Amino acid sequence: MSKIVIIGGGASGMMAAITVARLGGTVTIIESQKKVGKKILATGNGRCNFTNQVQETSCYHSDNVGFPFDIYQQFPYKETIVFFEELGIYPKSRNGYIYPYSDQAIAILDVLKMELERLGVQIIFEMQCKEIILQQQGFLLTLQKGCSENVIELLADKVIIATGSKASNIAGSDGAGYNLAKSLGHTIVPVLPGLVSLRCAEPFYKRLVGLRMQGNIRLFVKNKEIAQDQGEIQLTNYGISGIPVFQVSRFAAKGLYQNQQVRAEIDFMPDLSEKELERFLLKRCKQQPEKNMRDFLIGLFPNPFIEAVLLLTDSPVNKNAGMMSERMNALAKQIKCLKTTIIDTNTFEQAQVCSGGVDTKEVNSRTLESLLIRDLYFAGEVLDVDGICGGYNLQWAWSSGYVTGREAVNAKNQSIKIAHSS
């Protein structure tokens, strides 16, 4: 039986190791930190949204369109739910978003660690893989602990690189796998922050710090609409955040990387058309003519937003609404389309995932084996694959980890269901 070494003990690495071990393979995980799976604890705000019942090709992004879904379909969300149920997780759904019933991310990590232990998977902690040398047969891995001069050499018949990305401020999220892949001849699609807040040019955001408002965001790159999403938008002292912003952020990051103009238009009244909103405001003018313009908008929006909108439309705060009917068109336009220039994203440390990574055109879309080097595989975020918010990045980890583990053992048709000894 081949000796399989997995570099990285995150979600995809643990799934790959469990799959290999269940199929009878010999497997070792190399983990640079003191513990495996630390990033899992931060998912879903600590509750771990570990998959989603809604699965479409558009839920996953890659420069190689369609690649992620080819892998996903080999281990879809139903298989993920069964896998974790067998480990002891009772799942619950919130509108298709699947969580452990305990609402604790640590439950997901604990059952994975228990299964690794049950299967006798060897884990080498606090060691970084510095080099992978291709041999006549197999690979020679050079391992090093921190800045120590002592190195360990480890032989492997097959290698799975599952080192994750540069996203998050968790120790070990340094994208070391990119360098390993590059040293073996693989192309790296530019790695950029994804699912991240956006920094904007306009000074009025300093007035809006802490506001959370329902809205629709449309993202434009070179004046072409690239993406849009709707939900609760958070306003910060530097720009915009919240899930809708995260969903479009990868496209903003890519546009900025290519030195293109990136802007957004935010609709803070998406339930009404511009004409409907204007008519609503005019009706409100007639009903409340004595109120000044600030008081006139109370009940619709938070005070700081009201003041910003009045400033942006040159509407005097202290004028009575009954005397300002001619400003209702400008107010409706501003509320329906606040234009903002995107100048940057937040850092990798503040991003949930990365876009970019190992070019999937150089990886088999059924097996995740390198098309350049036999017996070398990739799993998880190290690849140029990223999902939208909602459990999709973890689903990618489970699917890609399963496929690499299965393929490394050459056991495509074998079952990996738990077989506890009596």
Side-chain angles (χ1 to χ4, degrees), residues 19-34:
T19 305
V20 170
R22 287 183 179 184
L23 292 170
T26 302
V27 60
T28 299
I29 294 176
I30 309 300
E31 170 54 46
S32 64
Q33 301 303 304
K34 293 180 180 180

PDB file of all heavy atoms in Angstrom, residues 19-34:
ATOM      1  N   THR A  19     -10.530   9.812   4.609  1.00  0.00           N
ATOM      2  CA  THR A  19     -10.889   8.998   3.451  1.00  0.00           C
ATOM      3  C   THR A  19      -9.820   7.950   3.163  1.00  0.00           C
ATOM      4  O   THR A  19     -10.124   6.774   2.944  1.00  0.00           O
ATOM      5  CB  THR A  19     -11.102   9.895   2.219  1.00  0.00           C
ATOM      6  OG1 THR A  19     -12.081  10.891   2.523  1.00  0.00           O
ATOM      7  CG2 THR A  19     -11.564   9.091   1.029  1.00  0.00           C
ATOM      8  N   VAL A  20      -8.559   8.374   3.158  1.00  0.00           N
ATOM      9  CA  VAL A  20      -7.455   7.439   2.919  1.00  0.00           C
ATOM     10  C   VAL A  20      -7.458   6.324   3.961  1.00  0.00           C
ATOM     11  O   VAL A  20      -7.372   5.131   3.633  1.00  0.00           O
ATOM     12  CB  VAL A  20      -6.099   8.175   2.926  1.00  0.00           C
ATOM     13  CG1 VAL A  20      -4.939   7.178   2.934  1.00  0.00           C
ATOM     14  CG2 VAL A  20      -5.976   9.106   1.729  1.00  0.00           C
ATOM     15  N   ALA A  21      -7.556   6.708   5.228  1.00  0.00           N
ATOM     16  CA  ALA A  21      -7.468   5.731   6.312  1.00  0.00           C
ATOM     17  C   ALA A  21      -8.640   4.758   6.283  1.00  0.00           C
ATOM     18  O   ALA A  21      -8.473   3.557   6.538  1.00  0.00           O
ATOM     19  CB  ALA A  21      -7.394   6.445   7.657  1.00  0.00           C
ATOM     20  N   ARG A  22      -9.843   5.250   5.985  1.00  0.00           N
ATOM     21  CA  ARG A  22     -11.001   4.358   5.919  1.00  0.00           C
ATOM     22  C   ARG A  22     -10.865   3.340   4.792  1.00  0.00           C
ATOM     23  O   ARG A  22     -11.418   2.243   4.862  1.00  0.00           O
ATOM     24  CB  ARG A  22     -12.284   5.165   5.725  1.00  0.00           C
ATOM     25  CG  ARG A  22     -12.734   5.930   6.957  1.00  0.00           C
ATOM     26  CD  ARG A  22     -14.051   6.621   6.667  1.00  0.00           C
ATOM     27  NE  ARG A  22     -14.555   7.357   7.810  1.00  0.00           N
ATOM     28  CZ  ARG A  22     -15.726   7.991   7.833  1.00  0.00           C
ATOM     29  NH1 ARG A  22     -16.492   7.973   6.765  1.00  0.00           N
ATOM     30  NH2 ARG A  22     -16.119   8.630   8.911  1.00  0.00           N
ATOM     31  N   LEU A  23     -10.135   3.718   3.750  1.00  0.00           N
ATOM     32  CA  LEU A  23      -9.931   2.813   2.630  1.00  0.00           C
ATOM     33  C   LEU A  23      -8.698   1.937   2.807  1.00  0.00           C
ATOM     34  O   LEU A  23      -8.293   1.231   1.881  1.00  0.00           O
ATOM     35  CB  LEU A  23      -9.822   3.624   1.334  1.00  0.00           C
ATOM     36  CG  LEU A  23     -11.118   4.325   0.904  1.00  0.00           C
ATOM     37  CD1 LEU A  23     -10.871   5.288  -0.237  1.00  0.00           C
ATOM     38  CD2 LEU A  23     -12.175   3.309   0.504  1.00  0.00           C
ATOM     39  N   GLY A  24      -8.099   2.005   3.996  1.00  0.00           N
ATOM     40  CA  GLY A  24      -6.985   1.124   4.303  1.00  0.00           C
ATOM     41  C   GLY A  24      -5.626   1.663   3.940  1.00  0.00           C
ATOM     42  O   GLY A  24      -4.618   0.939   4.020  1.00  0.00           O
ATOM     43  N   GLY A  25      -5.559   2.922   3.534  1.00  0.00           N
ATOM     44  CA  GLY A  25      -4.277   3.500   3.146  1.00  0.00           C
ATOM     45  C   GLY A  25      -3.440   3.930   4.334  1.00  0.00           C
ATOM     46  O   GLY A  25      -3.942   4.134   5.443  1.00  0.00           O
ATOM     47  N   THR A  26      -2.149   4.084   4.097  1.00  0.00           N
ATOM     48  CA  THR A  26      -1.209   4.585   5.102  1.00  0.00           C
ATOM     49  C   THR A  26      -1.038   6.084   4.879  1.00  0.00           C
ATOM     50  O   THR A  26      -0.626   6.507   3.800  1.00  0.00           O
ATOM     51  CB  THR A  26       0.149   3.880   4.969  1.00  0.00           C
ATOM     52  OG1 THR A  26      -0.038   2.472   5.103  1.00  0.00           O
ATOM     53  CG2 THR A  26       1.116   4.366   6.052  1.00  0.00           C
ATOM     54  N   VAL A  27      -1.377   6.877   5.898  1.00  0.00           N
ATOM     55  CA  VAL A  27      -1.412   8.317   5.694  1.00  0.00           C
ATOM     56  C   VAL A  27      -0.814   9.061   6.880  1.00  0.00           C
ATOM     57  O   VAL A  27      -0.987   8.667   8.032  1.00  0.00           O
ATOM     58  CB  VAL A  27      -2.868   8.801   5.431  1.00  0.00           C
ATOM     59  CG1 VAL A  27      -3.791   8.473   6.604  1.00  0.00           C
ATOM     60  CG2 VAL A  27      -2.920  10.284   5.110  1.00  0.00           C
ATOM     61  N   THR A  28      -0.112  10.163   6.551  1.00  0.00           N
ATOM     62  CA  THR A  28       0.464  11.052   7.560  1.00  0.00           C
ATOM     63  C   THR A  28       0.097  12.486   7.214  1.00  0.00           C
ATOM     64  O   THR A  28       0.193  12.888   6.045  1.00  0.00           O
ATOM     65  CB  THR A  28       1.998  10.921   7.614  1.00  0.00           C
ATOM     66  OG1 THR A  28       2.343   9.585   7.956  1.00  0.00           O
ATOM     67  CG2 THR A  28       2.598  11.881   8.641  1.00  0.00           C
ATOM     68  N   ILE A  29      -0.346  13.248   8.210  1.00  0.00           N
ATOM     69  CA  ILE A  29      -0.613  14.677   8.023  1.00  0.00           C
ATOM     70  C   ILE A  29       0.569  15.472   8.557  1.00  0.00           C
ATOM     71  O   ILE A  29       1.051  15.215   9.670  1.00  0.00           O
ATOM     72  CB  ILE A  29      -1.890  15.117   8.771  1.00  0.00           C
ATOM     73  CG1 ILE A  29      -3.134  14.455   8.180  1.00  0.00           C
ATOM     74  CG2 ILE A  29      -2.046  16.634   8.733  1.00  0.00           C
ATOM     75  CD1 ILE A  29      -4.416  14.773   8.941  1.00  0.00           C
ATOM     76  N   ILE A  30       1.027  16.431   7.779  1.00  0.00           N
ATOM     77  CA  ILE A  30       2.040  17.388   8.232  1.00  0.00           C
ATOM     78  C   ILE A  30       1.327  18.697   8.523  1.00  0.00           C
ATOM     79  O   ILE A  30       0.756  19.318   7.627  1.00  0.00           O
ATOM     80  CB  ILE A  30       3.133  17.621   7.163  1.00  0.00           C
ATOM     81  CG1 ILE A  30       3.705  16.301   6.656  1.00  0.00           C
ATOM     82  CG2 ILE A  30       4.223  18.536   7.717  1.00  0.00           C
ATOM     83  CD1 ILE A  30       4.346  15.456   7.715  1.00  0.00           C
ATOM     84  N   GLU A  31       1.322  19.132   9.780  1.00  0.00           N
ATOM     85  CA  GLU A  31       0.619  20.345  10.189  1.00  0.00           C
ATOM     86  C   GLU A  31       1.607  21.331  10.802  1.00  0.00           C
ATOM     87  O   GLU A  31       2.360  20.975  11.713  1.00  0.00           O
ATOM     88  CB  GLU A  31      -0.482  20.004  11.189  1.00  0.00           C
ATOM     89  CG  GLU A  31      -1.143  21.191  11.874  1.00  0.00           C
ATOM     90  CD  GLU A  31      -1.690  22.224  10.913  1.00  0.00           C
ATOM     91  OE1 GLU A  31      -2.367  21.843   9.934  1.00  0.00           O
ATOM     92  OE2 GLU A  31      -1.423  23.420  11.134  1.00  0.00           O
ATOM     93  N   SER A  32       1.597  22.571  10.321  1.00  0.00           N
ATOM     94  CA  SER A  32       2.578  23.556  10.782  1.00  0.00           C
ATOM     95  C   SER A  32       2.264  24.112  12.160  1.00  0.00           C
ATOM     96  O   SER A  32       3.135  24.688  12.816  1.00  0.00           O
ATOM     97  CB  SER A  32       2.674  24.704   9.776  1.00  0.00           C
ATOM     98  OG  SER A  32       1.435  25.398   9.710  1.00  0.00           O
ATOM     99  N   GLN A  33       1.026  23.949  12.633  1.00  0.00           N
ATOM    100  CA  GLN A  33       0.632  24.491  13.928  1.00  0.00           C
ATOM    101  C   GLN A  33       0.568  23.396  15.002  1.00  0.00           C
ATOM    102  O   GLN A  33       0.802  22.226  14.717  1.00  0.00           O
ATOM    103  CB  GLN A  33      -0.729  25.173  13.801  1.00  0.00           C
ATOM    104  CG  GLN A  33      -0.743  26.301  12.787  1.00  0.00           C
ATOM    105  CD  GLN A  33       0.275  27.381  13.072  1.00  0.00           C
ATOM    106  OE1 GLN A  33       0.279  27.963  14.159  1.00  0.00           O
ATOM    107  NE2 GLN A  33       1.160  27.645  12.124  1.00  0.00           N
ATOM    108  N   LYS A  34       0.216  23.813  16.224  1.00  0.00           N
ATOM    109  CA  LYS A  34       0.150  22.857  17.336  1.00  0.00           C
ATOM    110  C   LYS A  34      -1.114  22.007  17.285  1.00  0.00           C
ATOM    111  O   LYS A  34      -1.203  20.974  17.942  1.00  0.00           O
ATOM    112  CB  LYS A  34       0.198  23.610  18.673  1.00  0.00           C
ATOM    113  CG  LYS A  34       1.521  24.310  18.943  1.00  0.00           C
ATOM    114  CD  LYS A  34       1.474  25.031  20.297  1.00  0.00           C
ATOM    115  CE  LYS A  34       2.790  25.742  20.574  1.00  0.00           C
ATOM    116  NZ  LYS A  34       2.771  26.451  21.887  1.00  0.00           N
TER     117      LYS A  34
END
